């Protein structure tokens, strides 16, 4: 049985038991709602499994409905565990580049291994100064400066050789024109220099790869705890262990498709030359 199925059954059991207690206590929904300080519509939603009651709601209900001590403990703990699971599965959306950089900086500070995959953009930790300014170009100047300052703190952690940074890019991320031909060529050459760091592992999935893998978007993974995904209106943070494992498995498949070493150096050189030739 999957975790979502277990969660659904647990919620159904909680609502069913609360409804049973009210029926056995011979209390109407209106009277029970009034006695526990909630609306009748809220109680109805709780009893029909449409609303997860708070721990406080359950405590008040089991007390008012004269549940046995064992039932009180059981249902309160069930509510508490359901809320803990719901919090774990929550996807948090952060708006604003500066706020996102601060959030990710805190996550990266604790991570021993950070993994990054991008489809059509160079990851911020690998961006040259000129490329970064193009990416941030639509933001107000004050927000740009705040984002750059936060990013500098993040980049300084790459000097810590105890931390590992693994990057996988699609070839299209390096060919997607974010500025002039010279800027793009310099960005590609910047990658070639960074990937020589002992704690940095860079791979590029070439267009010629028989991928057979669907990667709908870029994502970052920090250890085996947190995934972040950039969307149009902000940045989502995912912490559910099952979701994180799925992203880790996808990253592993993508990493196996990537070229490294001399093959990577040849590919980077060819891409830089193409940018300059196309002008």
């Amino acid at each position: 049985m999957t975790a979502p199925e277990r969660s659904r059954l647990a919620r159904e059991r909680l609502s069913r038991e609360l409804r049973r207690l009210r029926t056995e206590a011979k209390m109407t929904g209106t009277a029970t709602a009034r006695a526990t300080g909630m609306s009748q519509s809220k109680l109805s939603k709780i009893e029909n499994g449409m609303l997860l009651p708070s721990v406080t709601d359950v405590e008040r209900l089991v007390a008012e409905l004269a549940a046995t001590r064992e039932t009180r403990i059981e249902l309160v703990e069930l509510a508490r565990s359901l809320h803990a699971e719901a919090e774990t599965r929550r996807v948090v959306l952060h708006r604003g580049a500066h706020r996102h950089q601060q959030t990710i900086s805190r996550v990266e500070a604790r991570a021993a291994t950070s993994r990054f995959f991008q489809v059509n953009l160079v990851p911020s930790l690998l961006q040259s100064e000129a490329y970064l300014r193009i990416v941030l170009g639509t933001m107000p100047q004050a927000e740009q400066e705040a984002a750059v300052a936060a990013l500098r703190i993040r980049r300084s952690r790459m000097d810590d050789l105890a931390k590992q940074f693994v990057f996988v890019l699609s070839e299209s991320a390096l060919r997607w024109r974010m500025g002039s031909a010279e800027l793009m060529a310099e960005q590609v050459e910047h990658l070639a220099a960074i990937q020589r760091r002992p704690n940095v592992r860079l791979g590029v999935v070439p267009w010629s790869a028989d991928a057979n893998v669907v990667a709908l978007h870029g994502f970052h993974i920090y250890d085996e705890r947190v995934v972040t995904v950039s969307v149009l209106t902000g940045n989502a943070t995912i912490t559910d262990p099952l979701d994180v494992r799925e992203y880790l498995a996808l990253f592993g498949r993508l990493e196996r498709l990537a070229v490294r070493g001399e093959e990577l150096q040849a590919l980077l050189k060819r891409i830089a030359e193409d940018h300059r030739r196309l002008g």
Side-chain angles (χ1 to χ4, degrees):
M1 185 183 299
T2 65
E5 289 172 336
R6 286 195 299 271
S7 178
R8 177 180 58 79
L9 291 175
R11 289 186 65 155
E12 289 176 355
R13 180 163 170 269
L14 177 61
S15 61
R16 185 173 61 249
E17 287 298 301
L18 291 173
R19 186 168 60 250
R20 179 186 65 77
L21 286 173
R22 182 179 62 77
T23 301
E24 291 181 354
K26 295 183 170 53
M27 289 184 67
T28 65
T30 301
T32 303
R34 186 184 303 115
T36 54
M38 65 179 71
S39 67
Q40 195 278 330
S41 63
K42 178 180 178 180
L43 177 61
S44 177
K45 289 178 181 178
I46 290 172
E47 289 188 350
N48 287 288
M50 299 172 62
L51 176 67
L52 177 62
S54 68
V55 174
T56 300
D57 288 336
V58 175
E59 288 173 338
R60 289 173 178 169
L61 284 167
V62 294
E64 183 63 33
L65 298 173
T68 64
R69 182 175 181 277
E70 286 185 357
T71 299
R72 291 186 190 189
I73 294 173
E74 181 183 5
L75 296 186
V76 169
E77 284 304 310
L78 183 56
R80 187 172 285 116
S81 66
L82 283 168
H83 275 282
E85 182 178 340
E87 179 65 21
T88 297
R89 291 194 65 85
R90 192 163 59 104
V91 176
V92 181
L93 182 67
H94 300 284
R95 300 181 187 274
H98 178 216
R99 184 179 177 186
H100 175 62
Q101 292 286 0
Q102 288 183 322
T103 300
I104 295 307
S105 183
R106 290 192 292 270
V107 174
E108 280 179 345
R110 297 192 298 271
T113 302
S114 300
R115 300 172 176 88
F116 306 84
F117 171 71
Q118 283 293 350
V119 180
N120 58 8
L121 192 72
V122 175
S124 55
L125 289 179
L126 301 181
Q127 291 171 6
S128 67
E129 194 72 20
Y131 189 103
L132 172 63
R133 292 295 177 179
I134 293 290
V135 172
L136 301 179
T138 59
M139 298 178 187
Q141 188 63 32
E143 190 173 345
Q144 280 191 46
E145 296 304 325
V148 170
L151 181 56
R152 285 193 181 119
I153 294 174
R154 290 179 56 205
R155 286 178 171 174
S156 69
R157 296 200 179 98
M158 295 179 72
D159 294 329
D160 183 353
L161 298 184
K163 294 181 177 292
Q164 297 295 311
F165 298 85
V166 187
F167 300 90
V168 176
L169 314 180
S170 69
E171 185 172 341
S172 60
L174 304 182
R175 292 189 180 273
W176 190 278
R177 293 285 291 270
M178 291 297 292
S180 68
E182 189 59 31
L183 180 149
M184 291 303 302
E186 289 176 354
Q187 171 62 73
V188 174
E189 290 164 352
H190 180 67
L191 291 180
I194 286 184
Q195 64 99 24
R196 297 190 187 100
R197 288 172 174 247
N199 61 336
V200 171
R201 193 161 78 243
L202 172 65
V204 174
V205 180
W207 284 347
S208 58
D210 184 9
N212 197 29
V213 174
V214 177
L216 298 176
H217 51 73
F219 55 89
H220 303 167
I221 311 173
Y222 300 95
D223 289 333
E224 298 181 358
R225 299 180 298 107
V226 179
V227 174
T228 64
V229 177
S230 294
V231 295
L232 181 61
T233 56
N235 299 274
T237 302
I238 302 168
T239 55
D240 177 69
L242 291 176
D243 292 336
V244 173
R245 282 200 292 273
E246 285 197 34
Y247 276 100
L248 280 165
L250 175 57
F251 189 87
R253 293 196 295 273
L254 292 165
E255 192 173 15
R256 287 190 289 274
L257 294 169
V259 297
R260 303 184 183 281
E262 293 182 2
E263 194 174 357
L264 173 59
Q265 292 289 356
L267 177 59
L268 294 177
K269 181 179 179 182
R270 187 163 63 250
I271 294 173
E273 290 172 350
D274 286 347
H275 277 299
R276 289 195 170 101
R277 185 171 62 255
L278 292 173

